[in-house]
Amino acid sequence: MNEQPFSVLPLRSELLNNLSSLGYETMTPIQAESLPAILMGQDVIGQGQTGSGKTAAFGLGLLHSLDTEDLNVQTLVLCPTRELADQVAEEIRRLARGLPNTKIITLTGGTKLRPQADSLARGMHIVVGTPGRVMDHITKETLELETVRTLVLDEADRMLDMGFEDAIDAIASYVAEHRQTMLFSATFPPEIKSIAARLTIDPVLVQIAAEQTESTITEHFYRVKNNESRLAACQLLMRHHQPASTVLFCNTRRETMEIAKALNAEGFSAVALHGELDQRERDQRLALFANQSLAVLVATDVAARGLDIEELDMVLNYQLANEAEVHTHRIGRTGRAGARGVACTLFTDKEQSKLARLQNSEGQPLDPDGCSEPLPDRDALKNPPPHPSMFTIEINGGKKQKLRKGDILGALTGEGGIEGSDVGKIQIAATRSLVAVARHSIKPALRKLAQDKIKGRSYKVRWMGED
Ligand code: AMP
């Protein structure tokens, strides 16, 4: 399909002008297919993976019909996780740059209800939230949804997997029936079809073949002898490919911990991500992985939900996923946005039947003998484990202290400081901030932050080391 510019759409000019400043020149396939219907106010059901540009598809749609003079909530976007809600809100904020005074709030757990309620009381246009927290506000009568005209369900399959079906139905019952509903999901099991049938009217279906987001991923399959051979194979593959960031998928919480421990003992910098971590611990591990201070995240599928890491070099499947769709989802996390990615999957003879359920890029079932490759040469064991390129510094001040990214960057790079190019991701939370700096600059960076004030105040700083 030819790439079409956004200008073929009857999109309000403030949005169009901003798109070119964001560098969005042409529409992605899901945008080209869904936006004409979205802009006409039709209900839409879209099948699209993260990376397909679906956020901008519904984001432009909801902003197109937004009336910033009206301070009632006009749009509700439901997402499965806090991370995804934050990302979606951020993307909508960027798209809304041409519409001054657009008020967007994220309503997710892990923070107090009261400040959120206070913000809502002052008037909001767009709410992006997780079903649990949105329901809390409805129950406490701090969120009024009768004025909502656009309802979006993002990653609907994940929300149902996480047990949010009842909450979604309840929330939708508070939204006026005369509304536009957009539902996006990577997969369409029967429960999704049924919730889509309940919540949408005469929807336009938009399906984008997966290959558009997979084209830069090289998939490799390796037959291993038994369970015990898996760990050694993973090490060999990482030492061979030297990926800066790897997500290693396995099946159980216990495995995540055991594998992370074993990899650390071998000199890798790995951490486990499983469903029983508390939110703070989870956020911290994800932050360190996303800012390149950790090289390997060992995760279960459930724990990795909503994970969106830019520049993921490798996905390692310790075992085959039980379902083909889960496999596609796993490998869809690498090779995003034109970057190159490698997906390596290990299987034993016992898993052959699962393998046969997968398809190659031409849609043919995989043949276990045909697809399996020999592991890299053992010479690769001479390579060191891939090192993370950054270290993280924690500063005991954040949004409450009105710290901004620019303040921290300025403090680090001011007189006697480090190069701006050695400063990585800066994440500002309520009362603390994390900043990634290149490994070779850690000492001067710590010294500079410990000695100098940031915005006139001294803060405690700490190298987060490899804890
Ligand atoms: P998503 O699938 O919504 O998570 O989007 C994937 C990434 O593509 C995001 O970083 C967007 O900022 C970016 N993106 C979305 N639409 C376009 C476009 N038309 N042109 C260029 N980048 C885009």
Side-chain angles (χ1 to χ4, degrees):
M1 190 169 52
N2 285 335
E3 292 190 337
Q4 288 182 301
F6 283 96
S7 54
V8 300
L9 297 170
L11 200 56
R12 54 203 279 193
S13 56
E14 305 95 305
L15 293 177
L16 260 185
N17 295 340
N18 178 47
L19 281 172
S20 30
S21 74
L22 290 178
Y24 292 15
E25 300 300 342
T26 54
M27 290 189 265
T28 66
I30 200 163
Q31 291 162 355
E33 297 246 333
S34 65
L35 270 166
I38 291 176
L39 296 182
M40 278 166 60
Q42 284 180 273
D43 283 0
V44 168
I45 295 179
Q47 176 161 28
Q49 312 246 339
T50 305
S52 59
K54 65 185 163 63
T55 318
F58 67 72
L60 287 170
L62 61 91
L63 290 170
H64 182 70
S65 58
L66 194 79
D67 174 4
T68 44
E69 306 265 294
D70 173 3
L71 269 176
N72 290 302
V73 178
Q74 296 166 46
T75 296
L76 172 64
V77 183
L78 292 177
C79 303
T81 63
R82 185 163 131 190
E83 288 119 40
L84 192 69
D86 285 341
Q87 283 156 21
V88 166
E90 192 149 315
E91 174 84 349
I92 297 177
R93 279 197 186 97
R94 294 200 299 147
L95 295 169
R97 273 184 205 156
L99 304 176
N101 303 322
T102 305
K103 296 191 183 304
I104 305 170
I105 187 172
T106 47
L107 297 182
T108 55
T111 48
K112 292 207 176 92
L113 281 162
R114 188 58 197 272
Q116 294 178 341
D118 291 345
S119 301
L120 285 168
R122 287 194 289 273
M124 277 295 156
H125 300 120
I126 300 167
V127 170
V128 183
T130 47
R133 181 49 70 103
V134 168
M135 207 54 225
D136 290 343
H137 280 288
I138 295 175
T139 316
K140 290 209 157 14
E141 298 186 352
T142 44
L143 175 64
E144 179 61 67
L145 294 181
E146 255 160 47
T147 48
V148 166
R149 294 194 299 252
T150 316
L151 174 66
V152 181
L153 306 183
D154 194 16
E155 303 215 355
D157 49 354
R158 293 178 165 250
M159 288 201 279
L160 294 203
D161 278 353
M162 294 169 86
F164 284 138
E165 183 162 3
D166 291 345
I168 293 171
D169 277 323
I171 292 167
S173 73
Y174 287 93
V175 179
E177 272 181 31
H178 187 69
R179 64 167 188 248
Q180 180 180 30
T181 306
M182 297 183 242
L183 180 149
F184 290 84
S185 192
T187 60
F188 280 82
E191 312 84 76
I192 289 288
K193 289 189 184 135
S194 104
I195 199 164
R198 290 202 296 282
L199 299 184
T200 61
I201 300 172
D202 213 3
V204 174
L205 303 179
V206 180
Q207 217 174 0
I208 298 299
E211 70 245 19
Q212 267 125 357
T213 51
E214 282 176 18
S215 51
T216 51
I217 304 166
T218 342
E219 264 210 275
H220 302 277
F221 292 88
Y222 303 96
R223 191 196 293 270
V224 291
K225 236 193 267 155
N226 49 36
N227 275 335
E228 287 67 48
S229 332
R230 294 184 199 265
L231 191 65
C234 287
Q235 280 200 50
L236 189 59
L237 285 164
M238 285 191 280
R239 286 179 194 262
H240 174 76
H241 287 283
Q242 291 288 312
S245 295
T246 301
V247 175
L248 190 160
F249 284 102
C250 55
N251 287 340
T252 64
R253 177 178 71 98
R254 210 177 134 163
E255 273 174 343
T256 61
M257 294 191 297
E258 285 172 2
I259 296 169
K261 197 170 163 203
L263 287 175
N264 283 319
E266 294 290 335
F268 288 80
S269 102
V271 75
L273 191 76
H274 54 74
E276 282 172 42
L277 295 173
D278 65 34
Q279 189 73 38
R280 188 185 156 90
E281 192 63 22
R282 176 181 163 85
D283 285 351
Q284 177 154 319
R285 292 181 183 194
L286 280 174
L288 295 192
F289 183 68
N291 76 16
Q292 316 246 303
S293 299
L294 280 167
V296 191
L297 195 66
V298 187
T300 56
D301 288 300
V302 175
R305 271 186 193 139
L307 187 79
D308 189 13
I309 306 283
E310 296 154 33
E311 299 171 42
L312 185 61
D313 301 311
M314 182 181 243
V315 166
L316 258 177
N317 295 315
Y318 198 70
Q319 301 101 344
L320 262 171
N322 286 325
E323 286 155 49
E325 281 171 349
V326 175
H327 178 82
T328 311
H329 222 99
R330 286 178 175 185
I331 65 167
R333 293 175 195 286
T334 179
R336 294 243 180 100
R340 279 182 193 285
V342 191
C344 298
T345 302
L346 308 178
F347 68 98
T348 57
D349 285 346
K350 285 195 188 141
E351 294 168 276
Q352 287 208 12
S353 56
K354 283 186 203 165
L355 188 67
R357 278 183 237 145
L358 303 183
Q359 295 182 341
N360 65 15
S361 55
E362 279 90 48
Q364 304 296 320
L366 281 183
D367 158 26
D369 292 320
C371 73
S372 169
E373 298 174 31
L375 280 163
D377 195 274
R378 290 184 61 80
D379 270 359
L381 288 176
K382 291 184 196 138
N383 300 337
H387 258 308
S389 54
M390 310 298 266
F391 278 139
T392 298
I393 296 174
E394 183 189 51
I395 302 168
N396 75 334
K399 286 184 192 151
K400 274 224 175 93
Q401 288 71 30
K402 302 212 165 14
L403 277 188
R404 292 171 189 223
K405 291 183 184 178
D407 303 326
I408 296 176
L409 183 66
L412 277 168
T413 56
E415 214 187 315
I418 63 172
E419 292 290 319
S421 54
D422 285 347
V423 183
K425 261 200 170 110
I426 301 177
Q427 290 147 300
I428 309 218
T431 55
R432 67 169 191 158
S433 306
L434 301 180
V435 52
V437 298
R439 290 169 79 94
H440 60 260
S441 292
I442 184 71
K443 280 194 184 148
L446 277 168
R447 202 179 317 124
K448 181 93 173 78
L449 288 178
Q451 277 167 5
D452 291 10
K453 296 189 167 165
I454 311 177
K455 266 183 133 174
R457 251 191 80 169
S458 297
Y459 289 94
K460 276 200 196 118
V461 292
R462 169 175 92 92
W463 168 41
M464 295 195 58
E466 291 178 344
D467 55 10

